Short mmCIF file of all heavy atoms in Angstrom, two decimals:
data_model
loop_
_atom_site.label_atom_id
_atom_site.label_comp_id
_atom_site.label_asym_id
_atom_site.label_seq_id
_atom_site.Cartn_x
_atom_site.Cartn_y
_atom_site.Cartn_z
N SER A 8 1.08 -3.44 17.54
CA SER A 8 0.31 -2.31 17.94
C SER A 8 1.00 -1.11 17.23
O SER A 8 2.04 -0.73 17.52
CB SER A 8 0.44 -2.06 19.47
OG SER A 8 -0.32 -0.94 19.85
N GLY A 9 0.27 -0.58 16.25
CA GLY A 9 0.83 0.41 15.41
C GLY A 9 -0.23 1.34 14.84
O GLY A 9 -1.42 1.35 15.24
N THR A 10 0.14 2.14 13.86
CA THR A 10 -0.76 3.10 13.27
C THR A 10 -0.37 3.30 11.74
O THR A 10 0.81 3.21 11.45
CB THR A 10 -0.75 4.45 13.99
OG1 THR A 10 -1.43 5.42 13.22
CG2 THR A 10 0.62 4.92 14.22
N THR A 11 -1.36 3.52 10.98
CA THR A 11 -1.03 3.87 9.59
C THR A 11 -0.24 5.07 9.33
O THR A 11 0.15 5.40 8.19
CB THR A 11 -2.37 3.82 8.73
OG1 THR A 11 -3.27 4.79 9.23
CG2 THR A 11 -3.04 2.45 8.74
N ARG A 12 -0.13 5.90 10.48
CA ARG A 12 0.70 7.09 10.29
C ARG A 12 2.17 6.86 9.89
O ARG A 12 2.82 7.72 9.33
CB ARG A 12 0.66 7.89 11.55
CG ARG A 12 -0.62 8.55 11.96
CD ARG A 12 -0.50 9.62 12.99
NE ARG A 12 0.02 9.05 14.29
CZ ARG A 12 -0.74 8.52 15.23
NH1 ARG A 12 -2.08 8.55 15.06
NH2 ARG A 12 -0.17 8.05 16.30
N THR A 13 2.64 5.62 10.24
CA THR A 13 4.01 5.33 9.94
C THR A 13 4.22 4.60 8.56
O THR A 13 5.32 4.08 8.28
CB THR A 13 4.67 4.46 11.01
OG1 THR A 13 4.07 3.20 11.10
CG2 THR A 13 4.61 5.21 12.38
N MET A 14 3.17 4.64 7.76
CA MET A 14 3.35 4.07 6.40
C MET A 14 4.35 4.88 5.66
O MET A 14 4.29 6.14 5.72
CB MET A 14 2.00 4.03 5.68
CG MET A 14 1.07 2.94 6.13
SD MET A 14 -0.57 3.01 5.43
CE MET A 14 -0.27 2.83 3.67
N VAL A 15 5.27 4.25 4.90
CA VAL A 15 6.22 5.00 4.11
C VAL A 15 5.54 5.65 2.86
O VAL A 15 5.76 6.75 2.56
CB VAL A 15 7.32 4.07 3.63
CG1 VAL A 15 8.36 4.75 2.77
CG2 VAL A 15 8.05 3.39 4.85
N PHE A 16 4.62 4.87 2.21
CA PHE A 16 4.00 5.32 1.09
C PHE A 16 2.44 5.25 1.45
O PHE A 16 1.94 4.23 1.87
CB PHE A 16 4.24 4.43 -0.14
CG PHE A 16 5.73 4.26 -0.47
CD1 PHE A 16 6.43 3.11 -0.12
CD2 PHE A 16 6.42 5.31 -1.05
CE1 PHE A 16 7.77 3.00 -0.46
CE2 PHE A 16 7.78 5.30 -1.34
CZ PHE A 16 8.38 4.04 -1.01
N ASP A 17 1.71 6.40 1.28
CA ASP A 17 0.35 6.39 1.73
C ASP A 17 -0.54 5.77 0.68
O ASP A 17 -0.15 5.36 -0.42
CB ASP A 17 -0.02 7.83 2.03
CG ASP A 17 0.00 8.84 0.82
OD1 ASP A 17 -0.02 8.40 -0.29
OD2 ASP A 17 -0.04 10.04 1.09
N CYS A 18 -1.84 5.73 0.96
CA CYS A 18 -2.81 5.03 0.01
C CYS A 18 -2.84 5.65 -1.35
O CYS A 18 -2.87 4.83 -2.31
CB CYS A 18 -4.21 5.01 0.65
SG CYS A 18 -4.35 4.09 2.24
N ALA A 19 -2.81 6.93 -1.40
CA ALA A 19 -2.85 7.54 -2.79
C ALA A 19 -1.65 7.20 -3.58
O ALA A 19 -1.71 6.93 -4.83
CB ALA A 19 -2.97 9.10 -2.59
N LYS A 20 -0.46 7.26 -2.98
CA LYS A 20 0.81 6.95 -3.62
C LYS A 20 0.80 5.46 -4.09
O LYS A 20 1.16 5.17 -5.20
CB LYS A 20 1.97 7.14 -2.68
CG LYS A 20 3.36 6.66 -3.21
CD LYS A 20 3.77 7.53 -4.43
CE LYS A 20 5.16 7.11 -4.91
NZ LYS A 20 5.65 7.86 -6.02
N ILE A 21 0.33 4.55 -3.20
CA ILE A 21 0.29 3.22 -3.55
C ILE A 21 -0.60 2.89 -4.79
O ILE A 21 -0.16 2.27 -5.71
CB ILE A 21 -0.22 2.34 -2.36
CG1 ILE A 21 0.90 2.31 -1.22
CG2 ILE A 21 -0.55 0.89 -2.77
CD1 ILE A 21 0.41 1.73 0.06
N VAL A 22 -1.92 3.41 -4.73
CA VAL A 22 -2.76 3.15 -5.87
C VAL A 22 -2.17 3.78 -7.20
O VAL A 22 -2.20 3.06 -8.24
CB VAL A 22 -4.14 3.76 -5.58
CG1 VAL A 22 -4.99 3.65 -6.90
CG2 VAL A 22 -4.82 2.97 -4.44
N SER A 23 -1.69 4.94 -7.08
CA SER A 23 -1.08 5.55 -8.27
C SER A 23 0.10 4.78 -8.78
O SER A 23 0.27 4.42 -9.95
CB SER A 23 -0.60 7.01 -7.97
OG SER A 23 0.05 7.53 -9.07
N TYR A 24 0.99 4.37 -7.90
CA TYR A 24 2.25 3.66 -8.26
C TYR A 24 1.89 2.29 -8.88
O TYR A 24 2.43 1.94 -10.01
CB TYR A 24 3.05 3.43 -7.03
CG TYR A 24 4.43 2.73 -7.30
CD1 TYR A 24 5.54 3.52 -7.56
CD2 TYR A 24 4.53 1.35 -7.21
CE1 TYR A 24 6.74 2.85 -7.85
CE2 TYR A 24 5.78 0.79 -7.51
CZ TYR A 24 6.84 1.48 -7.79
OH TYR A 24 8.06 0.91 -8.04
N VAL A 25 0.99 1.53 -8.25
CA VAL A 25 0.69 0.17 -8.83
C VAL A 25 0.03 0.37 -10.19
O VAL A 25 0.31 -0.47 -11.08
CB VAL A 25 -0.26 -0.54 -7.88
CG1 VAL A 25 -0.72 -1.88 -8.45
CG2 VAL A 25 0.51 -0.89 -6.51
N SER A 26 -0.81 1.41 -10.31
CA SER A 26 -1.54 1.59 -11.64
C SER A 26 -0.56 1.97 -12.79
O SER A 26 -1.00 1.89 -13.90
CB SER A 26 -2.58 2.67 -11.48
OG SER A 26 -1.99 3.99 -11.52
N GLN A 27 0.69 2.35 -12.46
CA GLN A 27 1.63 2.59 -13.54
C GLN A 27 2.24 1.27 -14.00
O GLN A 27 2.86 1.22 -15.14
CB GLN A 27 2.81 3.43 -12.98
CG GLN A 27 2.41 4.68 -12.23
CD GLN A 27 1.53 5.65 -12.96
OE1 GLN A 27 1.83 6.00 -14.10
NE2 GLN A 27 0.47 6.13 -12.31
N LEU A 28 2.06 0.17 -13.22
CA LEU A 28 2.71 -1.11 -13.53
C LEU A 28 1.71 -2.13 -14.03
O LEU A 28 2.01 -3.10 -14.74
CB LEU A 28 3.37 -1.64 -12.30
CG LEU A 28 4.45 -0.73 -11.69
CD1 LEU A 28 4.98 -1.29 -10.41
CD2 LEU A 28 5.63 -0.51 -12.67
N MET A 29 0.47 -2.00 -13.65
CA MET A 29 -0.66 -2.85 -14.07
C MET A 29 -1.90 -2.18 -13.83
O MET A 29 -2.06 -1.34 -12.97
CB MET A 29 -0.57 -4.21 -13.15
CG MET A 29 -0.88 -4.00 -11.71
SD MET A 29 -0.59 -5.44 -10.65
CE MET A 29 1.16 -5.36 -10.42
N SER A 30 -2.94 -2.48 -14.65
CA SER A 30 -4.12 -1.87 -14.48
C SER A 30 -4.85 -2.58 -13.29
O SER A 30 -4.67 -3.69 -13.00
CB SER A 30 -5.06 -2.06 -15.75
OG SER A 30 -5.29 -3.39 -16.04
N LEU A 31 -5.56 -1.73 -12.52
CA LEU A 31 -6.31 -2.23 -11.46
C LEU A 31 -7.81 -2.17 -11.74
O LEU A 31 -8.27 -1.20 -12.37
CB LEU A 31 -6.08 -1.24 -10.11
CG LEU A 31 -4.67 -1.33 -9.65
CD1 LEU A 31 -4.42 -0.12 -8.61
CD2 LEU A 31 -4.40 -2.64 -8.93
N GLN A 32 -8.47 -3.27 -11.40
CA GLN A 32 -9.85 -3.45 -11.82
C GLN A 32 -10.75 -3.50 -10.56
O GLN A 32 -10.28 -3.77 -9.47
CB GLN A 32 -10.07 -4.80 -12.53
CG GLN A 32 -9.07 -4.94 -13.70
CD GLN A 32 -9.31 -3.87 -14.76
OE1 GLN A 32 -10.40 -3.41 -14.95
NE2 GLN A 32 -8.24 -3.46 -15.40
N PRO A 33 -12.00 -3.07 -10.67
CA PRO A 33 -12.95 -3.21 -9.56
C PRO A 33 -12.92 -4.57 -8.89
O PRO A 33 -13.01 -5.56 -9.55
CB PRO A 33 -14.30 -2.92 -10.19
CG PRO A 33 -14.07 -2.13 -11.42
CD PRO A 33 -12.67 -2.69 -11.95
N GLY A 34 -12.77 -4.53 -7.65
CA GLY A 34 -12.62 -5.71 -6.84
C GLY A 34 -11.17 -6.15 -6.49
O GLY A 34 -11.02 -7.06 -5.68
N ASP A 35 -10.20 -5.59 -7.11
CA ASP A 35 -8.84 -5.92 -6.80
C ASP A 35 -8.57 -5.37 -5.32
O ASP A 35 -9.12 -4.30 -4.99
CB ASP A 35 -7.85 -5.23 -7.71
CG ASP A 35 -7.79 -5.93 -9.10
OD1 ASP A 35 -8.33 -7.01 -9.21
OD2 ASP A 35 -7.18 -5.35 -10.00
N VAL A 36 -7.71 -5.96 -4.60
CA VAL A 36 -7.40 -5.62 -3.23
C VAL A 36 -5.87 -5.38 -3.14
O VAL A 36 -5.06 -6.14 -3.67
CB VAL A 36 -7.83 -6.64 -2.20
CG1 VAL A 36 -7.37 -6.29 -0.82
CG2 VAL A 36 -9.37 -6.84 -2.28
N ILE A 37 -5.49 -4.32 -2.49
CA ILE A 37 -4.07 -4.07 -2.19
C ILE A 37 -3.87 -4.04 -0.71
O ILE A 37 -4.52 -3.24 0.01
CB ILE A 37 -3.62 -2.71 -2.75
CG1 ILE A 37 -3.95 -2.60 -4.24
CG2 ILE A 37 -2.09 -2.51 -2.54
CD1 ILE A 37 -3.63 -1.14 -4.82
N ALA A 38 -2.99 -4.97 -0.16
CA ALA A 38 -2.60 -4.96 1.19
C ALA A 38 -1.40 -4.06 1.31
O ALA A 38 -0.42 -4.24 0.66
CB ALA A 38 -2.25 -6.39 1.57
N THR A 39 -1.54 -3.05 2.23
CA THR A 39 -0.57 -1.93 2.16
C THR A 39 0.65 -2.03 3.10
O THR A 39 1.28 -1.00 3.33
CB THR A 39 -1.36 -0.67 2.50
OG1 THR A 39 -1.99 -0.74 3.81
CG2 THR A 39 -2.44 -0.42 1.43
N GLY A 40 0.87 -3.17 3.70
CA GLY A 40 2.02 -3.27 4.60
C GLY A 40 1.58 -3.41 6.02
O GLY A 40 0.47 -3.17 6.44
N THR A 41 2.60 -3.76 6.92
CA THR A 41 2.24 -4.03 8.29
C THR A 41 3.17 -3.25 9.24
O THR A 41 4.33 -2.98 8.95
CB THR A 41 2.47 -5.56 8.54
OG1 THR A 41 1.83 -5.98 9.71
CG2 THR A 41 3.90 -5.98 8.64
N PRO A 42 2.63 -2.92 10.44
CA PRO A 42 3.43 -2.23 11.43
C PRO A 42 4.33 -3.27 12.17
O PRO A 42 4.30 -4.43 11.90
CB PRO A 42 2.40 -1.61 12.37
CG PRO A 42 1.28 -2.58 12.26
CD PRO A 42 1.26 -3.04 10.80
N PRO A 43 5.17 -2.73 13.05
CA PRO A 43 6.14 -3.71 13.79
C PRO A 43 5.39 -4.71 14.66
O PRO A 43 4.24 -4.50 15.04
CB PRO A 43 7.05 -2.78 14.61
CG PRO A 43 6.25 -1.54 14.83
CD PRO A 43 5.38 -1.39 13.53
N GLY A 44 6.12 -5.73 15.11
CA GLY A 44 5.60 -6.71 15.97
C GLY A 44 5.37 -8.09 15.37
O GLY A 44 4.80 -8.96 15.96
N VAL A 45 5.85 -8.32 14.18
CA VAL A 45 5.69 -9.65 13.51
C VAL A 45 6.68 -10.62 14.22
O VAL A 45 7.68 -10.20 14.91
CB VAL A 45 6.00 -9.60 12.04
CG1 VAL A 45 5.02 -8.65 11.34
CG2 VAL A 45 7.47 -9.15 11.78
N GLY A 46 6.37 -11.87 14.12
CA GLY A 46 7.11 -12.91 14.74
C GLY A 46 8.58 -12.95 14.43
O GLY A 46 9.45 -13.14 15.20
N MET A 47 8.81 -12.61 13.08
CA MET A 47 10.15 -12.60 12.57
C MET A 47 11.02 -11.58 13.24
O MET A 47 12.27 -11.68 13.39
CB MET A 47 10.18 -12.39 11.08
CG MET A 47 11.54 -12.34 10.38
SD MET A 47 11.40 -12.21 8.60
CE MET A 47 10.61 -10.57 8.43
#
């Protein structure tokens, strides 16, 4: 039970950052991380 407010890097930062390392094409998907509560 969480919120995207606690993301370290926001959506704009993520897209910009990844695009410096590889080109992103239409249809690519980025999974942006998970809040607490995982089984581990």
